[in-house]
Amino acid sequence: MNFYVTNTVQTINSLNPINLKEVSIQKTTMMRAQLHCLCLLTLYLTAGYGQERKFSGPLKPMTFSIFEGQEPSQVIFQFKASPPAVTFKLTGETDGIFQIQPDGLLYHNKALDRETRAVHKLQVSTLDVYGATVEGPVPITIEVKDINDNRPTFLQPNYEGSVRQNSRPGKPFMYVNATDLDDPTTPNGQLIYEIIIQLPKINDVMYFQINNKTGAISLTLEGSRELDPIKNPSYRLVVSVKDMGGQNDHSFSDSTSVNIMVKENIWKAPEPVEIVENSTDPHPIKITQVQWNEPGAQYSLGEKEKLSTLPFSIDQEGGIYVTQPLDREEKDSYVFYAVAKDEMGKPLAFPLEIRVKVKDINDNPPTCPSAVTVFEVQENEDIGSNIGTFIGHDMDEENTANSVLVYKIVDQIPKLPKEGLFLVQTYSGVVQLAGQSLKKQDTPQYNLTIEVSDKDFKTLCHVEINVIDINDQIPIFEKSDYGNLTLAEDTAVGSTILTIRATDTDEPFTGSSKILYRIIQGDSEGRLGIDTDPHTNAGYVIIKKPLDFETVAVHNIVFQAENPEPLVSGVNYNTSSSAKFKLIVTDVNEAPQFSQRIYQAKVREDVAVGTKVGNVTAKDPENLDISYSLRDNTRGWLKIDPATGEIFTTAPLDREAESLYRVQVMATEVGEKEKRSKLLGGGSSQSSIASFHLTLLDVNDNPPRLAKEYTGLFLCHPLHQEGTLIFEVTDDDQRSFPSPHFSYSLVSESSRNDWEVSRVNGTHAKLSTKHTNFEEGLYSVPIRINDGGRPPLEGVVSLPVTFCTCVEGHCFQPAGHQPGMPTVGMAVGILLTTFLVIGIILAVVFIRIKKNEGKDTVESAQASEAQPLRN
């Protein structure tokens, strides 16, 4: 309805208005005829002003919509009087603008102004020849429609404001406001704000932004970071406002100046705070202060670390307190945030980082590294030799006087051959041999008590020193040659293939007698390893990496037996500490090996048949020839060259059928039977499998089509306004990003006269009627759809639309005879036949019952005659 009325009003405004001042209405027949012609002409010109889109009619309540600013003497409506009425009377809010002719012609003689009065309430009455009221007064409402005839104006010619540096971006710190007398419910009164000048504008970066609807001015992200009152203490903005939503070239505008002072930000992180641990002062204790730029902020603390309890609090003046004694040994520093929020709970700026360091006091005694610390010293060790380093611990802060430790030996057991055989360095804790060299046979073990102290505490620790035999004997193998061993190259990794053994006459279970084996020759790739039994010193030779006949067929191994403890001066390892061993590796027929497990390639789906799309390679460990073949080639799209491994297309590809085509490639050994028999002693051919994945890249080879079958599209008949139907379109090709670019057009000229089609979004379009003169029935609308691809493809679809009578918003169609359904006559015939069959069945049943009753009566009478009477 609105669409129709608007078009009608625009048509009226484009025609020349009729000036009633030029028409002299007299009571002659000629002038009445002229006025009658004028009314007929006016009827043609102003059809559509009224709520019923009629120019003339009987007197009844009506509403008219008229745009303000039109030329005067515009005809509104022609009322018709019913006898005995002969003339009309107009009252109400006429404002000297509205008048009515005696014959009922209502018009206005001045231009209307919506801003003066938006609605005029009028009353029209009919009078008889005596001036008595026949009908009425009847209410007539004149709605004055707005036009854009007022420019917006700012409330102030200049605005002053201030902002703190580092304020939160997007939070308004001031507003500018403008007003427009036009109707705010129409685009005429919809205002849009914009900053058009910023002075200074450093590096062409805007530091300020404005909400285009509310006029709220705030900082941009760059402004929040860069504003500095020292560099630029003030800025000047020029802000404009436009009506018509800023979308019309004929919109009005106004501008104002905004002066902004930049204030220093006092919302700054305080200096790091130091708190002495284990304080006995009453808590809470204030440790620092933060302050927001303006009063009224709400403060809170936020955690940076996950703590069971944050031992700090903040009051609403920004004072930060420690709420309990802190223990540096539990946690030596804290980092948390101070947050300022407004009354709505929204952050006013970025949180401030608060750093607290817990200052150490000497509240922890030294501790021993273990209950007993054990050192070993060889007999005959020189005086001054280092035996070991004893390191105590202190939980107090490192590199302070509280954690500096001092070492002193306070006891030695036994005191044989004399006291003071050992000393300890005062600060390093290095234990040294001091008195003389030791003999294991004299005293195999010494126990020392070492005092560890800091400036306030002392702790006694225990040290055990074992005198060990010197390593003056070398390991000797039980035999120098462990012979030959033949193994297949596929022998399992981890298999033990040989046990070797050497002996050492030094003290058992010491570093001097413990034996470590290593291979010093014949295994450069580390395929073998040796594990030593710590109780028997036996060495077990194991396979660490797979053997490979093709790399090394014969390993000439040399073993070396050594002690973890260094030999004493003058004693060296010799040939008795080594042994040899030959490992012969035999060949095993191994499957070919692909260079990779999965091969991938990409190709357009429209490549020509016979195009090379990929290549696979495999190598046989025995250097036999390889033949390639394909498996799971379900669609028969590919073939492979059996000799080279090159893969080609054999049929047209279709991404819509399968976008990722997966096949398996088999590599099989081939070669002369004599060569295989000679090399491997016979056996079947080995093969291995790899995967080949071919990704098909989409090309535009599918025209667009309807996403589904549309059979229920309808519009209610008769059509009172533009009818609109939405339909969905799809394309079997790969969807473009962010959305398809379908375009639409009507195929036939006749369709273009009745319909128009337009795009709604990437997948939907709108079919609309261009008029309302449609007959009831089914219309098939042919639509051409272009997918905008490369190359573009078009599809023509037919959209069925039914114009039908509607009941409660649904298409109503009288039910007709459906195929397979009986007619009324057939239904009656079937019903009568059914009744007839039922009647026959009931008659037969009734006759049978009568016969059975007569038979029973006769039999009963005969029985009574034969039975004697009894008293």
Side-chain angles (χ1 to χ4, degrees):
M1 183 71 73
N2 293 335
F3 175 78
Y4 177 85
V5 172
T6 301
N7 284 338
T8 305
V9 172
Q10 290 174 350
T11 302
I12 296 165
N13 292 340
S14 65
L15 298 175
N16 292 325
I18 298 175
N19 194 332
L20 292 184
K21 293 180 180 180
E22 298 177 358
V23 180
S24 176
I25 304 175
Q26 299 178 4
K27 294 183 180 179
T28 63
T29 304
M30 181 181 299
M31 294 307 292
R32 288 184 184 272
Q34 291 176 349
L35 180 59
H36 180 67
C37 295
L38 175 61
C39 292
L40 291 178
L41 180 60
T42 307
L43 169 67
Y44 171 76
L45 293 175
T46 61
Y49 265 127
Q51 57 189 4
E52 297 182 356
R53 297 188 302 233
K54 295 180 179 179
F55 172 76
S56 62
L59 181 62
K60 62 180 179 179
M62 299 187 72
T63 298
F64 300 93
S65 295
I66 303 175
F67 278 101
E68 65 173 330
Q70 293 189 11
E71 294 184 11
S73 302
Q74 295 288 324
V75 175
I76 300 174
F77 195 76
Q78 172 72 62
F79 292 105
K80 296 180 179 179
S82 299
V86 297
T87 187
F88 288 83
K89 178 183 178 182
L90 178 66
T91 59
E93 299 171 345
T94 62
D95 294 346
I97 298 175
F98 298 96
Q99 294 183 1
I100 191 166
Q101 295 290 346
D103 63 350
L105 188 67
L106 177 66
Y107 65 98
H108 62 88
N109 56 21
K110 295 180 182 179
L112 302 181
D113 185 8
R114 190 201 67 84
E115 288 71 40
T116 302
R117 189 189 296 272
V119 177
H120 293 262
K121 299 292 186 179
L122 308 178
Q123 295 86 37
V124 176
S125 304
T126 59
L127 308 177
D128 59 15
V129 294
Y130 302 106
T133 300
V134 176
E135 185 178 1
V138 174
I140 304 298
T141 301
I142 305 295
E143 296 177 346
V144 183
K145 307 297 287 185
D146 187 47
I147 64 173
N148 191 26
D149 57 347
N150 292 278
R151 63 173 294 184
T153 56
F154 279 101
L155 300 183
Q156 300 175 211
N158 294 283
Y159 287 82
E160 302 288 337
S162 64
V163 64
R164 295 276 183 182
Q165 67 178 138
N166 304 126
S167 293
R168 182 160 60 93
K171 179 177 176 56
F173 61 85
M174 68 177 297
Y175 288 81
V176 295
N177 298 100
T179 60
D180 192 312
L181 296 178
D182 289 319
D183 188 355
T185 64
T186 68
N188 302 331
Q190 293 179 2
L191 305 183
I192 295 296
Y193 298 92
E194 180 184 8
I195 297 175
I196 57 177
I197 297 176
Q198 170 189 296
L199 297 175
K201 190 175 185 181
I202 302 169
N203 297 326
D204 201 33
V205 175
M206 292 296 293
Y207 291 164
F208 302 90
Q209 59 188 350
I210 190 168
N211 185 306
N212 63 357
K213 291 183 173 57
T214 65
I217 299 177
S218 61
L219 294 182
T220 64
L221 182 60
E222 293 79 5
S224 176
R225 294 172 177 171
E226 301 296 334
L227 281 188
D228 187 343
I230 298 176
K231 295 180 180 178
N232 289 291
S234 65
Y235 288 82
R236 179 173 176 265
L237 306 180
V238 176
V239 179
S240 74
V241 62
K242 291 184 178 181
D243 59 16
M244 301 296 289
Q247 302 298 317
N248 195 309
D249 293 338
H250 302 291
S251 60
F252 295 113
S253 65
D254 191 17
S255 61
T256 188
S257 176
V258 180
N259 296 315
I260 300 173
M261 298 297 297
V262 181
K263 296 182 179 180
E264 182 183 4
N265 180 25
I266 60 175
W267 178 249
K268 297 180 180 179
E271 295 294 324
V273 180
E274 280 195 356
I275 301 176
V276 176
E277 67 171 330
N278 298 322
S279 172
T280 58
D281 295 336
H283 287 74
I285 300 172
K286 186 174 181 179
I287 58 174
T288 188
Q289 173 81 36
V290 295
Q291 183 180 352
W292 176 241
N293 296 308
E294 306 292 342
Q298 298 177 3
Y299 300 100
S300 61
L301 297 182
E303 295 185 46
K304 184 176 183 180
E305 309 162 288
K306 288 295 182 182
L307 302 175
S308 57
T309 302
L310 183 67
F312 302 94
S313 65
I314 188 170
D315 62 22
Q316 289 312 303
E317 301 299 324
I320 299 177
Y321 299 80
V322 58
T323 58
Q324 65 188 43
L326 305 181
D327 186 356
R328 193 206 67 84
E329 287 70 43
E330 180 180 328
K331 188 170 178 60
D332 61 356
S333 65
Y334 295 84
V335 179
F336 53 94
Y337 294 107
V339 181
K341 297 181 179 180
D342 61 17
E343 64 278 0
M344 303 300 293
K346 294 182 179 180
L348 292 167
F350 298 105
L352 300 182
E353 186 175 80
I354 311 298
R355 292 184 171 272
V356 176
K357 179 182 179 182
V358 184
K359 190 174 181 180
D360 186 46
I361 63 173
N362 191 24
D363 57 347
N364 292 279
T367 59
C368 305
S370 59
V372 177
T373 301
V374 179
F375 293 131
E376 290 182 345
V377 58
Q378 289 184 344
E379 60 180 350
N380 296 328
E381 194 73 54
D382 294 335
I383 295 175
S385 299
N386 292 343
I387 298 173
T389 301
F390 181 84
I391 301 176
H393 299 286
D394 194 309
M395 294 289 290
D396 291 316
E397 186 175 1
E398 294 182 1
N399 303 318
T400 67
N402 298 330
S403 62
V404 174
L405 301 182
V406 176
Y407 302 93
K408 182 173 71 172
I409 296 175
V410 296
D411 192 16
Q412 170 192 314
I413 298 175
K415 298 178 174 59
L416 298 174
K418 65 178 183 178
E419 194 173 1
L421 291 175
F422 307 94
L423 64 83
V424 61
Q425 297 290 339
T426 303
Y427 292 103
S428 66
V430 174
V431 180
Q432 295 175 296
L433 187 62
Q436 64 182 55
S437 298
L438 306 177
K439 293 292 184 180
K440 179 179 176 63
Q441 57 269 30
D442 294 339
T443 305
Q445 185 181 87
Y446 292 89
N447 292 292
L448 306 180
T449 300
I450 297 181
E451 179 188 88
V452 185
S453 61
D454 60 20
K455 67 178 185 177
D456 296 313
F457 300 96
K458 294 181 180 180
T459 302
L460 298 179
C461 301
H462 301 285
V463 175
E464 179 184 293
I465 298 179
N466 296 313
V467 182
I468 61 174
D469 185 29
I470 60 175
N471 190 16
D472 55 357
Q473 300 295 320
I474 64 173
I476 299 175
F477 271 101
E478 62 180 0
K479 54 183 177 180
S480 61
D481 191 345
Y482 283 88
N484 302 338
L485 178 63
T486 301
L487 294 175
E489 65 177 329
D490 62 352
T491 303
V493 172
S495 301
T496 300
I497 62 173
L498 180 67
T499 302
I500 58 178
R501 192 183 305 274
T503 58
D504 191 308
T505 57
D506 286 316
E507 182 182 357
F509 306 110
T510 66
S512 300
S513 62
K514 183 180 180 180
I515 298 176
L516 301 177
Y517 300 96
R518 62 190 181 96
I519 298 173
I520 61 174
Q521 185 178 319
D523 185 26
S524 60
E525 296 186 356
R527 299 183 185 274
L528 303 179
I530 306 174
D531 293 336
T532 302
D533 187 323
H535 301 289
T536 64
N537 273 340
Y540 302 100
V541 181
I542 61 173
I543 298 177
K544 290 174 57 179
K545 297 180 182 179
L547 304 176
D548 188 4
F549 170 82
E550 287 74 26
T551 304
V552 180
V554 178
H555 296 266
N556 293 307
I557 304 296
V558 176
F559 301 118
Q560 177 76 25
E562 299 174 346
N563 302 125
E565 191 71 29
L567 295 172
V568 298
S569 177
V571 179
N572 298 303
Y573 297 108
N574 55 38
T575 56
S576 299
S577 300
S578 62
K580 63 182 181 178
F581 164 67
K582 177 181 284 189
L583 175 61
I584 302 171
V585 182
T586 59
D587 192 18
V588 174
N589 187 16
E590 300 171 273
Q593 297 176 355
F594 279 98
S595 59
Q596 56 194 75
R597 291 179 58 250
I598 299 177
Y599 295 84
Q600 301 187 40
K602 295 181 180 180
V603 68
R604 287 167 54 95
E605 63 174 324
D606 61 347
V607 297
V609 174
T611 300
K612 178 182 174 181
V613 295
N615 192 77
V616 299
T617 56
K619 182 179 180 182
D620 185 71
E622 290 78 37
N623 291 322
L624 296 177
D625 293 335
I626 294 175
S627 176
Y628 300 96
S629 61
L630 295 181
R631 297 175 60 182
D632 296 336
N633 188 17
T634 54
R635 295 186 181 275
W637 284 354
L638 303 177
K639 69 175 181 179
I640 191 169
D641 189 308
T644 65
E646 294 177 311
I647 300 176
F648 302 88
T649 62
T650 58
L653 308 179
D654 186 1
R655 190 203 66 84
E656 288 69 39
E658 193 162 355
S659 60
L660 179 62
Y661 191 54
R662 300 179 178 90
V663 297
Q664 289 187 329
V665 183
M666 176 180 288
T668 306
E669 297 173 335
V670 294
E672 302 85 353
K673 294 183 179 180
E674 295 78 4
K675 182 178 180 181
R676 183 181 304 279
S677 177
K678 181 178 179 181
L679 290 174
L680 309 175
S684 60
S685 298
Q686 298 289 320
S687 62
S688 58
I689 292 177
S691 296
F692 180 74
H693 294 174
L694 181 61
T695 300
L696 303 184
L697 303 178
D698 188 44
V699 297
N700 195 28
D701 57 351
N702 290 277
R705 59 178 176 81
L706 293 176
K708 61 181 179 181
E709 184 178 0
Y710 288 91
T711 58
L713 297 178
F714 71 92
L715 292 172
C716 294
H717 185 273
L719 200 62
H720 297 294
Q721 61 184 15
E722 175 193 279
T724 298
L725 299 169
I726 302 297
F727 60 94
E728 184 180 0
V729 174
T730 188
D731 190 324
D732 293 326
D733 291 314
Q734 188 174 10
R735 287 285 181 92
S736 60
F737 184 84
S739 62
H741 295 283
F742 294 126
S743 59
Y744 308 87
S745 61
L746 294 169
V747 175
S748 63
E749 183 65 30
S750 59
S751 297
R752 288 192 287 272
N753 293 332
D754 297 334
W755 306 87
E756 60 183 358
V757 63
S758 59
R759 184 176 184 268
V760 175
N761 56 31
T763 57
H764 291 74
K766 177 174 68 174
L767 179 66
S768 305
T769 62
K770 297 179 74 173
H771 59 79
T772 59
N773 300 324
F774 287 89
E775 298 295 331
E776 207 170 350
L778 176 65
Y779 290 76
S780 183
V781 184
I783 301 172
R784 179 181 292 108
I785 309 172
N786 188 300
D787 63 7
R790 297 182 180 177
L793 292 182
E794 290 185 346
V796 176
V797 301
S798 182
L799 202 64
V801 181
T802 301
F803 285 84
C804 59
T805 303
C806 291
V807 178
E808 296 182 354
H810 298 282
C811 187
F812 173 76
Q813 293 178 325
H817 174 65
Q818 301 294 327
M821 296 292 291
T823 63
V824 175
M826 293 173 62
V828 172
I830 292 171
L831 186 62
L832 293 176
T833 302
T834 303
F835 286 152
L836 179 61
V837 172
I838 293 173
I840 294 172
I841 293 173
L842 292 175
V844 171
V845 172
F846 180 75
I847 293 171
R848 283 182 172 273
I849 292 174
K850 286 295 184 179
K851 286 183 178 181
N852 289 337
E853 288 180 353
K855 185 177 180 181
D856 292 341
T857 303
V858 173
E859 291 176 353
S860 176
Q862 293 175 349
S864 63
E865 291 176 359
Q867 188 174 10
L869 297 174
R870 296 181 182 179
N871 292 329

